[in-house]
Amino acid sequence: MAVDYKELGLVNTREMFKRAMEGKYAVPAYNFNNMEQLQSIMTACGEGGSPVILQVSRGARNYANQTLLRYMAEGAVAMTRELGSDIPIALHLDHGDTFELCVSCIESGFSSVMIDASHLDYEDNIALTKKVVEYAHPRDVTVEGELGVLAGIEDDVQAEVSHYTKPEEVQDFVGRTGVDSLAISIGTSHGAFKFKVDSVEDIPPLRFDILEECEERLPGFPIVLHGASSVVPEYVKMINDYGGEMTGAFGIPEDQLRKAAASAVCKINIDSDGRLVVTGEVRKYLKENPKEFDPRKYLGQARKALAELLKHKNEFVLGSAGRY
Ligand code: G3H
Ligand code: 13P
Ligand code: ZN
């Protein structure tokens, strides 16, 4: 039986994005795969008064079980309300790749889905995205589409100009598909190795010119930024200091994300930073406490550190803290 997300206390992203656009901030979209990550997200956003989009990827569904994840999100809403917080919470499918997956998520209580058909031909992208919108909108579920392909880990971001979103396509794409938000490619990429550089100073700036052109062609329309982890240097160092090997890991500097958040970018996707915090803290804890074998100890430490980092992002990078 289909589940109505409104009965779970969730909201879609429409009002969130409208407010983010007016208030010149971005709503955080944090991925979760397990209980500790979800608790960190809810602590940071609940205590800091930030709207939040809980993101579930295909990989997360395979790892944690789709039904369990849905109940976890429902539990997160209930826990947050019990703690006295009234923040808007959306449950979103990240990088959905088929119509069937989007339908399955909507039926199980997701309030928002992404159909990522950006790797297809332009017309095929439109056809698949439109099909998802036609299914989602009668159920009041919002849909994110994507135009342009984010560079992969091994691609040279500076050279792969053809992967950037073409601003001349955005109006036609949004008009013909009916999407509620659009992910664009302006130089971010997924993962912890976003740039082939030797130091933070060499990181190339995002293509704000493309973003501005998209904004001009789609006034007031919510833009989404994927691949927006900063790959926090402190945590890369912690991982390396405690036995890991992440030399050459660089992300998007915070000042660039701040600038994006003040523009039409209403949703900023962050996953890798959460992974780095957990890995760094667990490595450190186990090295410093070799006799410890209670997962609550090392995961508890990681959970606390992750909540602190996300609070910092909401307050000082995305500007979403206290904005609901
Ligand atoms: O954009 C991708 C997200 O970071 C999710 O990654 O597919 O490994 O869960 P995943
Ligand atoms: P990061 O790998 O930069 O965290 O990006 C996450 C993302 O875009 C999820 O959709
Ligand atoms: Zn993404």
Side-chain angles (χ1 to χ4, degrees):
M1 243 245 314
V3 181
D4 181 350
Y5 70 82
K6 290 174 187 167
E7 284 170 17
L8 308 183
L10 296 163
V11 295
N12 67 28
T13 57
R14 200 167 292 125
E15 185 64 21
M16 277 185 181
F17 290 164
K18 187 169 172 280
R19 294 177 64 111
M21 184 74 74
E22 286 163 4
K24 296 193 182 306
Y25 62 90
V27 179
Y30 296 129
N31 291 68
F32 75 100
N33 297 269
N34 64 30
M35 182 188 76
E36 282 81 4
Q37 283 176 316
L38 183 57
Q39 287 175 315
S40 301
I41 297 167
M42 297 322 296
T43 300
C45 297
E47 290 179 4
S50 170
V52 66
I53 297 169
L54 297 172
Q55 292 202 139
V56 172
S57 70
R58 246 181 325 137
R61 277 172 54 112
N62 292 340
Y63 174 77
N65 182 285
Q66 61 186 56
T67 308
L68 179 58
L69 283 176
R70 203 280 278 165
Y71 279 102
M72 282 169 72
E74 188 177 348
V77 176
M79 178 190 78
T80 307
R81 304 299 178 234
E82 268 170 31
L83 292 171
S85 171
D86 206 18
I87 55 165
I89 305 167
L91 180 60
H92 175 79
L93 169 65
D94 191 25
H95 293 284
D97 61 342
T98 62
F99 173 73
E100 291 73 21
L101 177 58
C102 292
V103 168
S104 160
C105 285
I106 292 169
E107 294 214 320
S108 76
F110 281 55
S111 59
S112 176
V113 292
M114 174 189 195
I115 176 69
D116 180 358
S118 57
H119 52 286
L120 301 180
D121 289 346
Y122 182 69
E123 289 299 329
D124 292 341
N125 185 356
I126 289 186
L128 179 52
T129 305
K130 186 168 187 279
K131 190 173 168 189
V132 171
V133 170
E134 282 170 355
Y135 183 84
H137 278 183
R139 293 158 179 84
D140 208 15
V141 169
T142 39
V143 179
E144 175 184 326
E146 178 162 329
L147 260 184
V149 178
L150 266 64
I153 290 166
E154 59 284 338
D155 291 341
D156 181 340
V157 174
Q158 285 158 287
E160 297 278 325
V161 176
S162 60
H163 282 190
Y164 293 131
T165 301
K166 296 183 186 125
E168 60 273 21
E169 288 180 349
V170 296
Q171 231 174 341
D172 181 64
F173 184 84
V174 167
R176 287 171 64 195
T177 58
V179 283
D180 303 279
S181 58
L182 182 68
I184 62 169
S185 172
I186 58 167
T188 61
S189 60
H190 291 108
F193 296 88
K194 299 191 191 299
F195 306 104
K196 285 180 183 161
V197 295
D198 295 323
S199 75
V200 178
E201 290 74 44
D202 298 331
I203 293 173
L206 296 179
R207 291 288 305 270
F208 282 99
D209 57 319
I210 298 178
L211 173 59
E212 277 160 27
E213 240 192 281
C214 292
E215 280 189 73
E216 275 164 27
R217 288 167 190 262
L218 292 171
F221 190 80
I223 300 292
V224 177
L225 215 53
H226 281 247
S229 279
S230 292
V231 186
V232 181
E234 175 194 342
Y235 279 102
V236 173
K237 183 174 183 316
M238 189 185 282
I239 290 172
N240 288 332
D241 285 351
Y242 289 91
E245 281 184 24
M246 297 211 60
T247 309
F250 292 102
I252 315 298
E254 290 188 347
D255 61 331
Q256 297 203 34
L257 295 172
R258 249 178 242 122
K259 185 173 168 187
S263 75
V265 170
C266 291
K267 172 174 180 271
I268 289 190
N269 283 17
I270 295 168
D271 186 1
S272 296
D273 276 338
R275 300 180 184 199
L276 291 170
V277 174
V278 173
T279 303
E281 293 288 350
V282 168
R283 278 189 178 280
K284 182 169 186 283
Y285 191 94
L286 291 177
K287 175 81 177 153
E288 290 176 349
N289 301 275
K291 295 202 172 95
E292 187 55 67
F293 69 100
D294 183 346
R296 290 174 298 187
K297 295 282 171 46
Y298 52 85
L299 292 180
Q301 171 55 33
R303 181 174 68 182
K304 187 164 159 277
L306 179 54
E308 277 163 21
L309 180 78
L310 301 185
K311 255 188 199 170
H312 164 84
K313 283 182 182 288
N314 293 345
E315 194 169 344
F316 299 108
V317 185
L318 282 70
S320 61
R323 310 297 287 271
Y324 75 99

